[in-house]
Amino acid sequence: PSNTLQYYHAVPGGPFFNDEIGGADSTYSAPTIFVRSVDPEGEADIVAEGPSNTLQYYHAVAGGPLYHDQIGGTGAIYSGPLIFVRSVDPVGEADIVAEGPSNTLQYYHAAPGGPVHLDQVAGKGSTYSG
Protein backbone atom coordinates (compact mmCIF):
# COMPACT_ATOMS: atom_id res chain seq x y z
CA PRO A 1 0.00 0.00 0.00
CA SER A 2 1.04 3.62 -0.63
CA ASN A 3 3.94 2.50 -2.85
CA THR A 4 5.79 0.78 0.00
CA LEU A 5 8.21 -2.11 -0.51
CA GLN A 6 7.18 -5.26 1.36
CA TYR A 7 9.54 -8.18 2.04
CA TYR A 8 7.99 -11.58 2.80
CA HIS A 9 10.25 -14.36 4.06
CA ALA A 10 10.07 -17.80 5.66
CA VAL A 11 12.22 -20.82 6.40
CA PRO A 12 11.05 -24.09 4.81
CA GLY A 13 8.01 -25.36 6.71
CA GLY A 14 7.77 -22.21 8.83
CA PRO A 15 5.37 -19.29 8.82
CA PHE A 16 5.79 -16.26 6.58
CA PHE A 17 6.93 -12.96 8.04
CA ASN A 18 6.45 -9.53 6.48
CA ASP A 19 8.76 -6.55 6.81
CA GLU A 20 8.25 -3.15 5.24
CA ILE A 21 11.70 -2.25 3.86
CA GLY A 22 10.73 0.77 1.78
CA GLY A 23 8.39 3.35 3.27
CA ALA A 24 5.50 5.23 1.68
CA ASP A 25 6.19 6.50 -1.85
CA SER A 26 9.47 4.55 -2.12
CA THR A 27 8.61 2.02 -4.83
CA TYR A 28 7.05 2.44 -8.29
CA SER A 29 7.76 -0.90 -10.01
CA ALA A 30 7.67 -4.56 -9.25
CA PRO A 31 10.82 -5.37 -7.30
CA THR A 32 13.31 -8.06 -8.26
CA ILE A 33 15.20 -10.16 -5.71
CA PHE A 34 18.30 -12.34 -5.99
CA VAL A 35 19.67 -14.41 -3.11
CA ARG A 36 23.43 -14.91 -3.38
CA SER A 37 25.08 -18.33 -3.41
CA VAL A 38 28.47 -16.58 -3.24
CA ASP A 39 30.05 -14.29 -0.65
CA PRO A 40 28.27 -12.92 1.19
CA GLU A 41 26.29 -16.15 0.84
CA GLY A 42 22.60 -15.76 1.57
CA GLU A 43 22.56 -12.00 1.04
CA ALA A 44 19.28 -10.85 -0.48
CA ASP A 45 19.71 -8.15 -3.14
CA ILE A 46 16.54 -6.27 -4.12
CA VAL A 47 16.13 -3.60 -6.80
CA ALA A 48 13.13 -1.46 -7.72
CA GLU A 49 12.22 1.77 -9.44
CA GLY A 50 11.96 4.54 -6.87
CA PRO A 51 10.61 8.07 -6.85
CA SER A 52 11.38 10.25 -9.88
CA ASN A 53 12.52 7.21 -11.88
CA THR A 54 15.50 6.44 -9.62
CA LEU A 55 17.13 3.02 -9.18
CA GLN A 56 16.90 1.78 -5.60
CA TYR A 57 19.03 -1.09 -4.22
CA TYR A 58 18.36 -2.86 -0.92
CA HIS A 59 20.53 -5.63 0.52
CA ALA A 60 20.92 -7.62 3.73
CA VAL A 61 22.28 -10.90 5.04
CA ALA A 62 20.04 -13.06 7.20
CA GLY A 63 19.78 -11.57 10.68
CA GLY A 64 21.80 -8.49 9.67
CA PRO A 65 20.82 -4.90 9.07
CA LEU A 66 19.15 -3.78 5.86
CA TYR A 67 21.16 -1.42 3.68
CA HIS A 68 19.63 0.90 1.10
CA ASP A 69 21.41 2.75 -1.70
CA GLN A 70 20.14 4.86 -4.55
CA ILE A 71 22.38 3.86 -7.47
CA GLY A 72 20.62 5.63 -10.32
CA GLY A 73 19.65 9.29 -10.08
CA THR A 74 16.51 11.14 -11.18
CA GLY A 75 15.35 10.00 -14.62
CA ALA A 76 17.66 6.95 -14.64
CA ILE A 77 15.14 4.15 -15.28
CA TYR A 78 11.64 3.71 -16.68
CA SER A 79 10.91 0.05 -15.93
CA GLY A 80 11.19 -2.49 -13.18
CA PRO A 81 14.90 -3.39 -13.02
CA LEU A 82 16.22 -6.96 -13.08
CA ILE A 83 19.20 -8.15 -11.02
CA PHE A 84 21.54 -11.13 -11.26
CA VAL A 85 24.60 -11.89 -9.11
CA ARG A 86 27.47 -13.77 -10.74
CA SER A 87 28.88 -17.00 -9.30
CA VAL A 88 31.75 -16.88 -11.84
CA ASP A 89 34.32 -14.26 -12.77
CA PRO A 90 33.91 -11.66 -11.51
CA VAL A 91 32.41 -13.60 -8.59
CA GLY A 92 29.79 -11.65 -6.67
CA GLU A 93 29.34 -8.92 -9.26
CA ALA A 94 25.78 -7.59 -9.24
CA ASP A 95 24.41 -6.97 -12.75
CA ILE A 96 21.27 -4.84 -13.13
CA VAL A 97 19.42 -3.93 -16.32
CA ALA A 98 16.52 -1.54 -16.87
CA GLU A 99 14.88 0.61 -19.52
CA GLY A 100 16.51 4.03 -19.44
CA PRO A 101 15.77 7.47 -20.88
CA SER A 102 14.49 7.57 -24.49
CA ASN A 103 13.92 3.80 -24.42
CA THR A 104 17.59 2.90 -24.03
CA LEU A 105 18.91 -0.24 -22.26
CA GLN A 106 20.95 0.63 -19.19
CA TYR A 107 23.38 -1.81 -17.52
CA TYR A 108 24.58 -1.18 -13.96
CA HIS A 109 27.28 -3.43 -12.48
CA ALA A 110 29.45 -3.51 -9.38
CA ALA A 111 31.86 -5.95 -7.76
CA PRO A 112 31.47 -6.43 -4.00
CA GLY A 113 32.75 -3.32 -2.23
CA GLY A 114 33.42 -1.54 -5.52
CA PRO A 115 31.79 1.40 -7.23
CA VAL A 116 28.71 1.07 -9.42
CA HIS A 117 29.39 1.42 -13.14
CA LEU A 118 26.78 2.36 -15.76
CA ASP A 119 26.91 1.41 -19.43
CA GLN A 120 24.26 2.07 -22.05
CA VAL A 121 24.15 -1.20 -24.02
CA ALA A 122 21.40 -0.35 -26.52
CA GLY A 123 20.54 3.03 -28.00
CA LYS A 124 17.45 5.24 -28.24
CA GLY A 125 14.28 3.47 -29.24
CA SER A 126 15.73 0.00 -28.60
CA THR A 127 14.07 -0.99 -25.33
CA TYR A 128 10.40 -1.03 -24.34
CA SER A 129 9.09 -2.52 -21.14
CA GLY A 130 5.55 -3.37 -20.11
Side-chain angles (χ1 to χ4, degrees), residues 17-104:
F17 296 95
N18 175 39
D19 294 305
E20 181 177 291
I21 62 174
D25 298 318
S26 67
T27 307
Y28 292 89
S29 73
T32 301
I33 187 171
F34 191 93
V35 178
R36 293 173 182 251
S37 62
V38 296
D39 194 33
E41 187 174 344
E43 177 178 282
D45 296 318
I46 303 166
V47 291
E49 181 181 354
S52 301
N53 304 98
T54 56
L55 177 54
Q56 304 296 314
Y57 173 56
Y58 302 84
H59 52 103
V61 294
L66 175 72
Y67 297 96
H68 170 235
D69 300 294
Q70 180 177 304
I71 59 174
T74 298
I77 66 169
Y78 293 86
S79 70
L82 298 174
I83 186 170
F84 182 82
V85 177
R86 297 177 187 220
S87 60
V88 295
D89 194 30
V91 173
E93 178 176 282
D95 297 317
I96 303 165
V97 294
E99 180 185 343
S102 301
N103 305 103
T104 56

Side-chain angles (χ1 to χ4, degrees), residues 99 102-103 124-130:
E99 180 185 343
S102 301
N103 305 103
K124 291 181 179 181
S126 66
T127 305
Y128 295 87
S129 181

Side-chain angles (χ1 to χ4, degrees), residues 102-119:
S102 301
N103 305 103
T104 56
L105 179 58
Q106 303 296 313
Y107 170 53
Y108 296 82
H109 52 101
V116 176
H117 300 279
L118 169 62
D119 297 303

